[in-house]
Amino acid sequence: MAVLENCSPSRVFHYFEEICGIPHGSGNTQAISDYLVDFAKDHSLEYVQDHLGNVVIYKNGTAGYEQSPTVILQGHMDMVCEKRADVAHDFLKDGLNLSVTEDGYVTANGTTLGGDDGIAVAYGLALLESQDIPHPPLEVLITVDEEIGLLGAFDFDCSVLKGRRLINLDSEAEGSLWVSCAGGMGGYSRIPVKRVAGEGEGIRVRIFGLAGGHSGAEIDKNRANSNILMGRMLYEMKKQADFAIISLDGGTKDNAITRESEFQVLAASEDVLKIQQLAQRFQADLRKEYAGTDEGITISAELLGHMEKEVLHPVSGEKVIFFLMNMPYGIRKMSGSIPGLVETSSNPGIVALHKDEFESVSSVRSSVGSAKDALSDKLEYLTEFLGGEYEIQGAYPAWEYREDSPLRDKMVAAYKALYKEEPKVVAIHAGLECGLFYEKMEGLDCVSIGPNMKDIHTCEELLDIASVERVWKYLLKALEDLKD
C-alpha cells in the first residue's frame, strides 16, 4: 500500500509519492525530467524538454475557457539533499522513506523531504491529468537546479511560453501571497594554503545538533551556523593552546544554514585537556546564547592518539581562522520600508580545507541590488586581503513589487471568496525564479503560493497535509476565476 494513499487530495499525493520515489537532488534531475516527459506522452499532451532538462507541458483550456489568457504554473523539480549522520541513504539512487505523523504531516524520516518543491510538481501533474477541473490554457513549467542557483531558469528559453500570467508554486506559507523576493548570488572564496609535517596528539572536534534551515526563510530565526561556531572555537583554542590544523569542513549547500562542522588538529600533549575543557565550556556558553532557538548545540572533542600528519603552516592556519572569524553571517540589514522584512543577509553554507586550498561558499541575498553588491564586495576584500581569489556564481535578480497586478487582485479575490478574509500580501527574503522570468518576459504578472511546510532544507522537514488540500482548493478556485 502506498504510504500517502489516504492523504487528500488523493491525486496530488499520488504524484508526490511517485516523485519521492525518484532520486532528484540538484544536479541529478535527468530521471525526474524524463519522468515528466513520459507523463506528457502517456496523457497525449504536448511538451518541451530542453537541453538542461527543464520541462514545459501544455494543456488546452477546458470548455468555456478555450480563449482565456494562458496561465503558467511554475515550480522546480530538484530538491536539497540533507540527511542525519545516522541515516543510511544514498540520494543518487534511493527513493525517500516517507511516513505520515500522527499530527498530519508528511516526513522523510531523517532526510530532507523535498516538499520544496515536489508539491508544485504534484499539483501540476494532478491538474494536467484532470478531466473535470475548469481552467484556462495551461503551461506547466518545471525547472531544474533551482536550489543551486536557479540554473534551469537562467538558461530557459522563454519563447516557448505564451502566457503572461504566472503562478509560482514555491511558497511555504499558506494564507500568504508572495509578490516580491530578494535577489542573490553565491560568493566563492578560495585561499591558497601551505602544509608542513606535524606530530602531536590528534583531536577531532565536532560541532553538531544545530537546527539549521533555509538560508533565506530561516535567517531571521536566530539559529546558529556551525561554520561560524567553528571559527570561534578555533580562535578560543588559539588563545589557550598550541595546535596545528589538519582538516576542517562544514556544510554541503550554501543555501542551507550549516548544521554540522568538524575539524582535526594536532596538539601538544599538555594542551589536550585544555581543549577538551574548552569544548565543554563553549558548548555551555552557546546553549545560553541560543536558548529558545538552537539549544541543541553540541561540541565533542575526540582523542585520536599520537599522530604524524601534514598540517597547515602557521601562517596558513592564521589566515583560515581569520577568515572564519570575519566572514559575515546572518542579517546584515532589515528593510526600512517593509516592516519585518530581512533586506540583506549572508550565509557561509560551505567551508572545506583541501590539500593546497581553503574554500568557502556563501549565499548572499538582498532585495536591494547595491546592498547585495556591497556585501559581496566585503567577502571579496576579505578573501583578497588573505591572498585568495573570489568569484561570483549564480547571481539572480530580485523580483520587484509590481504596483499594478491584475493577477494579484484576482488571487486576493479568490482567497477572500473561499475563506472570507484576505491573504497576506508579502515580500520575502528567499529567492524565487519569479525574478528571472519577470526580467525575461515583458509584461509578466506573477504571484507565488504554496502550502505550509516546516524546516525546509533540514532533516526535520514537514509537509502539512491539510494545508496541501486547502491550497489545492485555492488554486482551483483561482484558475476558475481566471477566465478573463
Side-chain angles (χ1 to χ4, degrees):
M1 185 178 78
V3 175
L4 307 183
E5 187 174 54
N6 295 320
C7 298
S8 182
S10 60
R11 297 309 292 172
V12 172
F13 280 105
H14 165 79
Y15 283 115
F16 184 73
E17 188 160 2
E18 284 208 345
I19 293 161
C20 289
I22 304 169
H24 58 284
S26 301
N28 182 40
T29 54
Q30 191 60 52
I32 187 71
S33 177
D34 291 343
Y35 165 83
L36 296 174
V37 169
D38 290 340
F39 170 92
K41 292 177 179 178
D42 291 344
H43 291 82
S44 301
L45 297 170
E46 293 185 9
Y47 69 91
V48 169
Q49 182 184 40
D50 70 12
H51 67 289
L52 294 174
N54 297 310
V55 175
V56 185
I57 304 176
Y58 305 89
K59 187 180 181 185
N60 294 330
T62 54
Y65 289 80
E66 297 92 341
Q67 303 305 316
S68 298
T70 299
V71 173
I72 305 166
L73 299 178
Q74 191 268 321
H76 61 88
M77 65 184 80
D78 63 310
M79 64 174 283
V80 169
C81 296
E82 294 284 345
K83 70 182 186 69
R84 290 201 311 262
D86 62 335
V87 174
H89 184 89
D90 185 346
F91 281 105
L92 293 178
K93 63 181 182 180
D94 297 338
L96 301 178
N97 177 22
L98 302 182
S99 66
V100 177
T101 68
E102 292 183 357
D103 51 350
Y105 291 89
V106 181
T107 180
N109 299 304
T111 73
T112 40
L113 173 65
D116 172 18
D117 196 23
I119 197 61
V121 183
Y123 279 146
L125 297 184
L127 268 167
L128 288 168
E129 78 159 8
S130 69
Q131 300 298 318
D132 57 356
I133 297 172
H135 60 73
L138 297 178
E139 296 173 332
V140 177
L141 167 60
I142 309 297
T143 55
V144 300
D145 295 344
E146 186 268 356
E147 298 290 6
I148 53 175
L150 286 66
L151 303 185
F154 258 112
D155 287 336
F156 180 70
D157 180 1
C158 293
S159 67
V160 301
L161 299 173
K162 294 180 180 178
R164 288 300 180 267
R165 300 191 294 188
L166 186 150
I167 301 175
N168 171 275
L169 298 167
D170 195 12
S171 161
E172 299 92 34
E174 182 194 350
S176 293
L177 200 61
W178 292 357
V179 295
S180 176
C181 74
M185 64 178 69
Y188 287 69
S189 299
R190 298 179 178 90
I191 299 170
V193 296
K194 294 182 179 179
R195 291 183 179 267
V196 295
E199 182 178 1
E201 303 302 315
I203 304 175
R204 177 193 184 211
V205 177
R206 288 182 63 216
I207 303 171
F208 61 101
L210 283 69
H214 187 288
S215 66
E218 271 80 50
I219 201 70
D220 61 343
K221 303 297 192 300
N222 194 36
R223 297 179 181 178
N225 180 307
S226 59
N227 288 337
I228 295 293
L229 302 187
M230 179 165 58
R232 288 178 57 181
M233 176 76 180
L234 284 165
Y235 183 72
E236 288 299 319
M237 286 171 53
K238 189 171 77 74
K239 294 191 291 185
Q240 301 180 35
D242 182 20
F243 69 91
I245 298 172
I246 302 171
S247 64
L248 62 80
D249 71 88
T252 59
K253 305 287 187 301
D254 68 323
N255 60 356
I257 299 171
T258 314
R259 299 158 51 90
E260 181 172 343
S261 304
E262 72 168 63
F263 60 89
Q264 293 184 21
V265 298
L266 290 182
S269 56
E270 61 268 23
D271 288 331
V272 169
L273 182 59
K274 293 179 183 178
I275 293 173
Q276 290 179 308
Q277 291 174 337
L278 172 60
Q280 294 176 348
R281 292 196 305 273
F282 194 42
Q283 173 182 292
D285 289 344
L286 291 173
R287 289 184 174 182
K288 288 180 182 178
E289 286 184 33
Y290 289 94
T293 59
D294 220 344
E295 57 274 288
I297 297 170
T298 303
I299 302 179
S300 65
E302 174 189 359
L303 302 185
L304 302 177
H306 192 79
M307 306 171 69
E308 293 183 6
K309 290 279 187 179
E310 280 197 335
V311 297
L312 289 186
H313 184 282
V315 174
S316 292
E318 191 74 35
K319 287 183 177 181
V320 168
I321 297 173
F322 186 88
F323 186 93
L324 291 172
M325 280 292 290
N326 287 279
M327 61 185 182
Y329 167 63
I331 298 171
R332 313 308 294 174
K333 185 178 181 296
M334 297 295 291
S335 172
S337 55
I338 303 176
L341 176 67
V342 178
E343 178 194 282
T344 307
S345 75
S346 179
N347 176 64
I350 304 171
V351 299
L353 179 59
H354 309 296
K355 179 177 175 57
D356 301 313
E357 182 181 75
F358 168 77
E359 179 182 30
S360 173
V361 186
S362 290
S363 174
V364 178
R365 303 176 189 264
S366 183
S367 52
V368 177
S370 59
K372 180 180 67 176
D373 293 342
L375 186 49
S376 178
D377 288 346
K378 182 182 180 73
L379 280 165
E380 181 177 27
Y381 196 19
L382 173 62
T383 304
E384 292 180 349
F385 180 78
L386 296 172
E389 296 182 350
Y390 180 78
E391 179 185 7
I392 294 170
Q393 293 186 14
Y396 56 92
W399 169 26
E400 297 183 2
Y401 177 76
R402 175 171 165 165
E403 291 286 348
D404 177 26
S405 171
L407 177 59
R408 180 182 67 233
D409 296 343
K410 286 181 177 290
M411 296 290 289
V412 168
Y415 189 92
K416 189 172 182 180
L418 276 180
Y419 300 114
K420 312 308 177 187
E421 64 180 15
E422 293 191 357
K424 298 176 182 177
V425 178
V426 297
I428 62 163
H429 187 57
L432 289 173
E433 292 161 300
C434 297
L436 282 169
F437 297 127
Y438 189 77
E439 189 175 69
K440 289 183 177 185
M441 301 168 67
E442 185 177 354
L444 185 68
D445 194 0
C446 46
V447 298
S448 179
I449 63 172
N452 290 330
M453 301 182 212
K454 295 182 179 180
D455 295 321
I456 62 170
H457 297 189
T458 78
C459 305
E460 286 73 46
E461 182 182 354
L462 296 170
L463 175 63
D464 186 330
I465 295 169
S467 181
V468 169
E469 183 169 27
R470 290 190 296 268
V471 172
W472 172 247
K473 291 178 179 177
Y474 174 38
L475 178 59
L476 299 192
K477 172 63 176 170
L479 292 174
E480 182 181 357
D481 291 352
L482 287 171
K483 192 170 186 178
D484 303 318

